[in-house]
Amino acid sequence: MKYKDPSLSIDARVEDLLGRMTLEEKIGQMLQVERKHTSADLINKYFIGSVMSEGGSIPAPQASAETWVDMVNEFQKGALSTRLGIPVFYGVDAVHGHNTVYNATIFPHNIGLGATRDPELVKRIGAATALEVRATGVQYAYAPCIAVCRDPRWGRCYESYSEDTELVQAMTEIIPGLQGDIPHNLPKGVPFISGKEKVIGSAKHYVGDGGTVNGINEHNTVIERDGLMKIHMPPYLTSIDKGVASIMVSYSSWNGLKMHAHHDLITAFLKNTLHFKGFVISDFEGIDRITTPHRANINYSIEAGVSAGIDMFMFPKLYTEFIDGLSMLVKNERIPMSRIDDAVRRILWVKFMMGLFENPYADYSMTRYLGIQEHRNLAREAVRKSMVLLKNGQSVDKPLLPLPKKAPKILVAGIHADNLGYQCGGWTIEWQGVSGNNLLKGTTILNAVKNTVDPETTVIYKENPDAEFVKSNEFSYAIVVVGEPPYAETHGDNMNLTIPDPGPEMIRNVCGVTKCVVIVISGRPLVIEPYVDMIDALVAAWLPGSEGQGVADVLFGDYAFTGKLPRTWFKSVDQLPMNVGDPHYDPLFPFGFGLSTQTTEALFSE
């Protein structure tokens, strides 16, 4: 069997295998099913091509890397025992590190990485993430999100690097981190994964997901074609040039037509004009949402999605419906066999390219990479570089930062100061994120402060101090950490963008009495203008992830502040949408703004 011969070209192997496959086997390859709804036996029975975890779906509570590997290998056994033995790959939302997995390193969310302005750092994060994903036997990460978020009211804005197309394009450097550096002789558009320390990447969500009206998730992006091509499309061009192996379709619509049914943009433009040779994957239950209400006519949705050019379908649960529906559509000549072959050819190409036929089983020796210190150090570096200093002192000649490490008594306040779950945001352990410190390994901002100050400095932590408490204690200064609770997707859509209570009251109680630095933990700019005058120093910390020590690194001057705003900080939500270059641009802090500081060492050496 030629397809089993690794000395032959990938094209030759793909064509040989494709020629041996029945319609049923081909349709199986086009499916990606959820782990809870399948088994090795069902994978064998239906020739399933891929398995996935939806947000927060894990083999066991606080599962070890080995437990993950056991699960993935068990599914693989089912695939390899089919007639043709085509291996499966397993996909997860590893969007800021391997974020579903206990003990993994959690990197800052993309908005924070956009603030670093450091593509090389983002590439290293991609490589570290790939190692941790492979440590659990998983071969496919649904990353990066290359949305250009044009309205911070969107619940996924933190998954976007920036409102600026060029900055998002620069950050696609994460793709060679995840997949490996593309060889110079490879034609453009061909997917490339360089071995078993790398993963399949997925540029998402194609296309225009960050441009919906009022930032409403999964909604309608109203823009002329020229605007779509100038603002939202360029990161896909760059991703394809970098060999991205898959592209995920957006739930959203463009001028009223659902992207999951958009033949013009998926087949005519992405495949035929841009020559993308990887596979196109639906979003989770994406074709269910082609109709209103969802799943109103599933055969219509299957026909629309397959005809549009989607190759692999996240059909997590009721996948026999997909098998039966697509079989009928092919037999009734509603969908040509050539469209099925195009889909399967692309999926098989990626499986051969990544060496899955030669190395189908996960390697237990890789488990050692999960949450290693080297990756935590990298995450800490990313946190440092992502901090944006918006204000430093009530006047230029009297900066508050860097804070002195030696002080009699300091106050740390706010629920976000000692809550790893809040520090990491959505897509962490569970789909909507978690609260508290029990499910994550890392350093809270409170502990980072305690680790950094002089041993004789007393650190008092109070979640929500009143003004009387602050007055009576005579603190040298206070660190107030406020922000949003975790959220993901539609749950994060927010039309007012105010700091949740008791944040505003705490700012008044603390900053009205003592010198204070306010740290905002959020997935986007929030309404801060009413409080800026009473705040001495203001830091946008985004969603920094597990390594809170990086926050203390810059607060206390071990490192300088260097981060720049990846998005415009508005004065009020009435201005939205407002992006750099707009005629009505009147920000509180403009795109690219960020004060810098000197390190304590540099200050003392002057």
Side-chain angles (χ1 to χ4, degrees):
M1 291 187 184
K2 284 184 183 173
Y3 77 89
K4 292 191 171 175
D5 181 355
S7 69
L8 295 176
S9 72
I10 294 176
D11 285 338
R13 297 175 78 184
V14 168
E15 293 311 314
D16 178 66
L17 179 50
L18 197 62
R20 299 170 188 273
M21 292 172 77
T22 63
L23 175 61
E24 200 180 359
E25 287 166 330
K26 289 174 181 176
I27 289 172
Q29 284 303 302
M30 294 170 71
L31 271 170
Q32 185 171 67
V33 303
E34 217 286 332
R35 54 161 286 280
K36 293 192 293 290
H37 306 300
T38 195
S39 64
D41 289 343
L42 288 169
I43 286 169
N44 177 279
K45 180 178 178 181
Y46 295 115
F47 312 105
I48 302 295
S50 179
V51 187
M52 67 166 305
S53 280
E54 62 181 316
S57 178
I58 54 177
Q62 301 190 4
S64 66
E66 289 78 8
T67 302
W68 277 89
V69 172
D70 291 343
M71 174 188 70
V72 175
N73 281 347
E74 181 62 26
F75 290 138
Q76 196 64 276
K77 273 183 205 158
L80 296 177
S81 62
T82 54
R83 181 178 76 94
L84 294 168
I86 304 172
V88 292
F89 50 62
Y90 193 105
V92 294
D93 280 285
V95 297
H96 62 143
H98 198 8
N99 45 258
T100 308
V101 176
Y102 184 66
N103 275 344
T105 310
I106 310 295
F107 292 94
H109 266 299
N110 286 356
I111 189 170
L113 298 182
T116 69
R117 297 294 201 277
D118 190 341
E120 185 273 335
L121 169 72
V122 170
K123 181 180 180 179
R124 285 187 284 140
I125 288 170
T129 301
L131 283 173
E132 297 208 13
V133 168
R134 283 289 200 159
T136 57
V138 174
Q139 312 96 336
Y140 184 10
Y142 307 135
C145 178
I146 53 171
V148 182
C149 173
R150 304 292 284 175
D151 194 324
R153 292 173 292 189
W154 185 36
R156 304 193 79 151
C157 203
Y158 63 77
E159 296 183 57
S160 162
Y161 294 106
S162 178
E163 72 193 43
D164 177 70
T165 303
E166 286 184 11
L167 181 51
V168 176
Q169 276 184 284
M171 293 302 172
T172 61
E173 195 56 20
I174 194 169
I175 291 166
L178 291 165
Q179 297 190 162
D181 285 308
I182 190 161
H184 296 300
N185 59 350
L186 206 67
K188 274 194 175 170
V190 175
F192 180 75
I193 302 111
S194 71
K196 55 186 184 178
E197 293 193 343
K198 298 296 181 183
V199 295
I200 303 166
S202 185
K204 67 183 190 183
H205 308 86
Y206 185 82
V207 59
D209 52 339
T212 58
V213 174
N214 296 334
I216 297 169
N217 191 43
E218 302 186 16
H219 232 244
N220 190 20
T221 297
V222 179
I223 191 171
E224 74 291 350
R225 190 180 184 96
D226 186 51
L228 187 81
M229 292 295 161
K230 278 184 179 153
I231 294 171
H232 299 284
M233 193 63 79
Y236 288 94
L237 312 186
T238 317
S239 298
I240 292 166
D241 285 350
K242 290 178 180 178
V244 76
S246 74
I247 287 175
M248 188 186 294
V249 181
S250 178
Y251 288 131
S252 58
S253 306
W254 175 43
N255 295 338
L257 180 56
K258 293 271 187 184
M259 281 306 312
H260 274 75
H262 213 301
H263 179 273
D264 175 42
L265 283 175
I266 297 172
T267 296
F269 191 72
L270 182 62
K271 290 181 172 181
N272 297 347
T273 305
L274 299 184
H275 306 296
F276 173 60
K277 299 287 193 293
F279 65 89
V280 177
I281 187 168
S282 81
D283 207 334
F284 188 85
E285 294 178 342
I287 60 166
D288 296 20
R289 306 184 194 200
I290 288 173
T291 57
T292 306
H294 298 166
R295 300 185 58 80
N297 181 341
I298 206 65
N299 284 346
Y300 167 80
S301 294
I302 293 168
E303 183 175 0
V306 175
S307 300
I310 299 171
D311 305 309
M312 182 174 275
F313 292 81
M314 285 193 200
F315 221 89
K317 190 176 182 180
L318 305 168
Y319 44 87
T320 54
E321 279 186 9
F322 181 86
I323 294 166
D324 296 343
L326 187 50
S327 301
M328 181 203 71
L329 289 161
V330 175
K331 282 166 187 163
N332 294 344
E333 299 185 353
R334 297 290 298 271
I335 290 176
M337 201 64 183
S338 58
R339 172 72 274 268
I340 304 298
D341 288 348
D342 170 57
V344 178
R345 190 176 276 119
R346 289 163 180 274
I347 294 160
L348 294 177
W349 213 99
V350 169
K351 289 184 177 184
F352 281 117
M353 159 57 79
M354 68 191 295
L356 203 54
F357 282 80
E358 286 67 57
N359 295 293
Y361 286 110
D363 178 354
Y364 284 91
S365 72
M366 295 283 289
T367 57
R368 70 184 187 273
Y369 288 116
L370 187 72
I372 58 173
Q373 193 58 46
E374 186 187 339
H375 294 168
R376 293 187 180 279
N377 295 345
L378 174 61
R380 180 175 170 180
E381 177 190 346
V383 174
R384 283 199 295 271
K385 290 179 173 175
S386 69
M387 296 294 108
V388 180
L389 182 57
L390 299 173
K391 183 180 179 182
N392 189 13
Q394 294 297 359
S395 63
V396 181
D397 53 350
K398 287 190 179 167
L400 181 63
L401 302 181
L403 295 169
K405 291 180 185 177
K406 215 177 167 76
K409 185 162 58 169
I410 65 174
L411 171 66
V412 178
I415 191 171
H416 286 69
D418 193 31
N419 191 320
L420 279 174
Y422 277 26
Q423 207 170 287
C424 292
W427 293 112
T428 309
I429 304 298
E430 294 174 15
W431 175 41
Q432 292 296 324
V434 292
S435 177
N437 300 329
N438 301 331
L439 296 169
L440 287 149
K441 191 176 167 191
T443 306
T444 66
I445 293 170
L446 174 65
N447 284 334
V449 170
K450 288 177 174 174
N451 296 342
T452 308
V453 294
D454 188 88
E456 289 177 18
T457 296
T458 304
V459 178
I460 307 277
Y461 174 58
K462 199 156 176 69
E463 209 169 88
N464 187 15
D466 56 37
E468 202 41 57
F469 174 84
V470 183
K471 269 181 201 149
S472 60
N473 266 283
E474 295 185 359
F475 294 107
S476 308
Y477 55 83
I479 299 167
V480 181
V481 194
V482 297
E484 300 183 297
Y487 55 81
E489 298 191 44
T490 307
H491 296 265
D493 286 1
N494 184 330
M495 294 301 127
N496 62 36
L497 296 181
T498 51
I499 295 170
D501 291 332
E505 181 190 16
M506 201 173 4
I507 292 171
R508 283 190 286 267
N509 287 346
V510 178
C511 301
V513 177
T514 188
K515 272 193 272 188
C516 75
V517 53
V518 171
I519 298 170
V520 182
I521 303 287
S522 67
R524 51 200 161 189
L526 299 174
V527 175
I528 194 89
E529 190 186 30
Y531 323 111
V532 170
D533 286 348
M534 67 181 78
I535 294 169
D536 296 286
L538 177 61
V539 177
W542 316 113
L543 298 166
S546 59
E547 306 312 302
Q549 196 63 47
V551 180
D553 284 343
V554 289
L555 279 185
F556 292 97
D558 291 328
Y559 291 83
F561 273 92
T562 56
K564 304 293 177 199
L565 283 181
R567 36 179 339 99
T568 299
W569 205 293
F570 56 86
K571 290 174 182 172
S572 87
V573 288
D574 301 337
Q575 297 175 294
L576 300 175
M578 177 178 69
N579 295 285
V580 63
D582 286 352
H584 66 292
Y585 198 67
D586 179 28
L588 182 62
F589 300 107
F591 172 83
F593 181 81
L595 301 171
S596 46
T597 54
Q598 288 186 293
T599 61
T600 312
E601 194 180 9
L603 282 169
F604 282 126
S605 63
E606 280 181 359

